Amino acid sequence: MSTFPATRLRRLRQADWSRRLVQENVLTVNDLIWAVVVSDTADPTEPVAAMPGVERLGLKALADAARRAEQLGIPAMAIFPHIDPEKKDADGSEALNPDGLVPKAIKTIKDAAPNVGVICDVALDPFTIHGHDGVMKDGIILNDETVNRLTRQALIQAQAGCDVIAPSDMMDGRIGATREALEMEGFTDTMILSYAAKYASGFYGPYREAIGSGAVLQGDKKTYQMDPANTEEALREVAMDLEEGADMVMVKPGLPYLDIVRRISEAFGVPTFAFQVSGEYAMIQAAAANGWIDGDRVMMESLTAFKRAGAAGIITYFAPKAAEILT
Ligand code: PBG
């Protein structure tokens, strides 16, 4: 290791051209997945109070958003549904409606912007009256009964034209069951992006308002989502999901879990995505609205941090805003 003054690390930092020349990680529009909230009651859109700048989109507004994504070069959109509360029940039956909001949203995006990839969350929480991701009996979330439903939910999404199935429920065995069902039904090209390392996090708060599950959620999700204190367990989750047939994996939340992104991307060498979740988005927007931080700058810095940690890409509500800066 050479020492000062032979080595002056500031030499390379002195000009814009030399900083650009030695830059190690580059964020591009190809790294962005746009998280969108769709609604069957919004016409055309409804604001989400806890997420300034994010709106629930009716289907017409979703078509406009898909065209915007295509124009901006954003590779894919991830759909999260806010359904009419009247349609919720204890088992989340509406998740299995082939003419429900999500299948309609998939077709809307595919019609408006055929070159934009569509990613769908697989879980029951937007559809259940108790706000949990699975079937609940006597206060317990039943694993295998839930997997059975999630598999059917995934097939309905694939049938509607979804490109990437993204189970976000953290039940055991759901990736294997989903892969098997997709193969049996001829969906051999449908990709699976597993929310493999998903933590029981307080950072999901604003999302629960966005999809309308917050007010109803009974208890917490600690019996299926991971303890924020754990790392080795995340590696086991990922290993199992890859074994069961996942093509890509995700870490969630994002910024507070960059160490997990790094460990997973290094250990497995598979496309590892990070989800910059609603609470991360809301914190940046809130501080920026108060003039406490430069919002655009912090947005770009946080997105670059994901790349530095080894993420293949980032699911983010900031996608169109960041893409505008990048293109
Ligand atoms: C639920 C799901 C959640 C998010 C995506 N899918 C919330 C939860 O697990 O409670 C959170 C997304 C965000 O906070 O932006 N299956």
Side-chain angles (χ1 to χ4, degrees):
M1 201 56 127
S2 54
T3 52
F4 180 83
T7 299
R8 291 178 185 264
L9 288 175
R10 288 186 56 194
R11 266 187 216 118
L12 294 173
R13 293 181 203 140
Q14 67 187 294
D16 178 63
W17 69 263
S18 60
R19 288 193 293 268
R20 280 189 285 133
L21 205 56
V22 302
Q23 190 168 69
E24 296 175 38
N25 295 287
V26 185
L27 177 75
T28 76
V29 74
N30 296 332
D31 299 315
L32 303 174
I33 296 169
W34 184 1
V36 290
V37 182
V38 297
S39 159
D40 51 9
T41 50
D43 185 18
T45 66
E46 278 166 13
V48 178
M51 301 178 72
V54 168
E55 293 177 312
R56 296 189 196 114
L57 308 176
L59 292 176
K60 278 208 189 78
L62 179 66
D64 291 341
R67 282 186 283 267
R68 188 171 169 215
E70 194 162 55
Q71 268 163 13
L72 286 166
I74 295 172
M77 296 170 90
I79 303 174
F80 301 93
H82 174 282
I83 68 162
D84 182 349
E86 302 268 289
K87 295 185 184 154
K88 296 190 185 195
D89 63 21
D91 295 339
S93 314
E94 183 61 17
L96 304 182
N97 178 0
D99 300 315
L101 176 61
V102 172
K104 280 190 189 142
I106 296 166
K107 289 178 193 143
T108 300
I109 297 177
K110 283 290 166 198
D111 284 348
N115 296 318
V116 172
V118 176
I119 302 174
C120 292
D121 217 63
V122 178
L124 300 181
D125 56 319
F127 309 98
T128 54
I129 42 175
H130 45 71
H132 279 287
D133 294 29
V135 176
M136 188 162 80
K137 192 157 182 251
D138 302 328
I140 292 175
I141 307 303
L142 303 177
N143 193 86
D144 301 7
E145 286 75 358
T146 301
V147 170
N148 187 293
R149 286 186 166 255
L150 297 176
T151 308
R152 285 152 62 199
Q153 183 184 14
L155 276 182
I156 286 167
Q157 294 174 349
Q159 267 147 11
C162 175
D163 301 296
V164 183
I165 302 295
S168 73
D169 54 288
M170 291 298 279
M171 296 302 123
D172 288 323
R174 89 276 207 223
I175 299 299
T178 302
R179 177 56 81 205
E180 194 186 325
L182 289 171
E183 287 289 322
M184 295 249 301
E185 297 296 321
F187 295 105
T188 52
D189 289 337
T190 303
M191 300 171 218
I192 298 180
L193 166 58
S194 168
Y195 285 68
K198 176 168 179 180
Y199 288 84
S201 171
F203 285 95
Y204 309 145
Y207 170 87
R208 293 181 186 159
E209 184 215 320
I211 66 155
S213 72
V216 295
L217 181 65
Q218 296 170 14
D220 58 46
K221 301 191 176 184
K222 290 180 185 168
T223 69
Y224 45 106
Q225 299 180 349
M226 284 178 48
D227 183 341
N230 295 357
T231 301
E232 301 308 325
E233 191 187 358
L235 298 179
R236 294 181 72 192
E237 283 283 1
V238 169
M240 283 180 77
D241 286 359
L242 291 173
E243 189 99 335
E244 291 177 31
D247 302 289
M248 306 173 270
V249 295
M250 184 146 55
V251 174
K252 179 182 172 192
L255 219 55
Y257 294 81
L258 287 187
D259 57 318
I260 309 295
V261 174
R262 165 56 62 200
R263 284 285 301 272
I264 290 173
S265 63
E266 268 180 5
F268 298 96
V270 298
T272 304
F273 290 81
F275 198 144
Q276 183 176 48
V277 299
S278 56
E280 300 175 61
Y281 173 88
M283 290 195 305
I284 294 175
Q285 293 295 75
N290 277 293
W292 296 335
I293 58 171
D294 175 340
D296 282 359
R297 185 172 170 187
V298 171
M299 167 182 76
M300 298 309 278
E301 184 177 330
S302 62
L303 293 171
T304 302
F306 289 108
K307 291 300 291 178
R308 196 190 62 237
I314 308 113
I315 300 199
T316 176
Y317 300 92
F318 282 126
K321 211 166 175 243
E324 264 158 22
I325 293 175
L326 289 167
T327 47

